[in-house]
Amino acid sequence: MKRKPKSYNDDRFSGEFRDEDSGPFGGQSRRQPQSGKPSFLNSATLGILTAVFILGIGIGIAFSSTATISPENVASREFIDRSAPNPELCVQFGASAMVTDMRAYVTLNPFNVYISQPTMRPGCVLRTNNWAILEQRKLVSQDQVRDCKNRMNTFGFTGTLESQPDINCIYQNDSAKNLFINQPGSVAPTDNQNF
């Protein structure tokens, strides 16, 4: 029987001197992940995360839709549109508005400014091409329409048109800036609806 010659690459002692994570030449070996270990994003984890995400969206929608039930919380344009006088007419021919009534008292000696407690009421601002609604109902005269048109203004009112509404010729102040919209980094509004 022939004997095999001994070689220097004997594997009997290689397990004793070699680290488990190192390859045959001392470097890192490439091991395949074991199939018995659970992965971080298995199907059960993904299902739970999806359910939590959908539940969060549902709760957010529920909170946002119930936020405007009481008049103490005016948080949406829809609530203001429903509260406007003659809401269908106002939305079709103008825009609903919040009207603030207050008085300013200015004294000169000494110079001081005093402001009364403001009151808030729902109102409506008509577009200039829809003034005929007020004229047909004989709520404004031809002179009032001419004066308001000469000053490039429009009409706004509070109270329903069927009763005695409070109608004013109002001026659109373009110099007033909306500081909620014009924040650094925000996109400027593209459409400006002039009334």
Side-chain angles (χ1 to χ4, degrees), residues 18-182:
R18 194 172 27 180
D19 190 16
E20 283 186 20
D21 290 336
S22 62
F25 299 108
Q28 296 291 326
S29 67
R30 295 182 185 171
R31 287 207 215 166
Q32 299 295 330
Q34 296 177 358
S35 61
K37 290 184 179 179
S39 69
F40 176 68
L41 291 175
N42 60 16
S43 60
T45 305
L46 285 175
I48 291 171
L49 289 175
T50 303
V52 168
F53 180 71
I54 291 172
L55 182 66
I57 290 174
I59 290 172
I61 290 171
F63 278 129
S64 67
S65 64
T66 60
T68 60
I69 289 178
S70 66
E72 293 86 22
N73 187 10
V74 179
S76 71
R77 192 189 77 194
E78 288 80 18
F79 182 80
I80 296 170
D81 287 344
R82 287 191 309 261
S83 301
N86 302 92
E88 298 84 19
L89 182 135
C90 188
V91 171
Q92 185 177 2
F93 298 112
S96 58
M98 294 181 291
V99 180
T100 305
D101 291 329
M102 66 180 195
R103 291 186 178 194
Y105 298 86
V106 179
T107 61
L108 298 178
N109 191 13
F111 181 77
N112 283 317
V113 178
Y114 301 92
I115 305 293
S116 67
Q117 185 72 31
T119 58
M120 300 289 288
R121 295 187 287 170
C124 183
V125 176
L126 291 177
R127 293 187 185 93
T128 54
N129 56 350
N130 296 320
W131 292 352
I133 296 168
L134 300 176
E135 291 179 276
Q136 290 169 358
R137 297 180 186 212
K138 306 237 186 279
L139 296 171
V140 291
S141 67
Q142 210 45 304
D143 293 337
Q144 289 173 315
V145 170
R146 186 175 52 253
D147 288 344
C148 199
K149 191 179 279 188
N150 286 341
R151 291 182 275 158
M152 301 290 288
N153 294 342
T154 189
F155 283 107
F157 65 91
T158 59
T160 60
L161 296 178
E162 292 76 34
S163 64
Q164 294 180 346
D166 186 14
I167 301 173
N168 294 45
C169 181
I170 55 177
Y171 173 71
Q172 182 174 355
N173 186 0
D174 291 331
S175 64
K177 302 296 180 198
N178 187 345
L179 298 179
F180 288 99
I181 294 175
N182 297 330

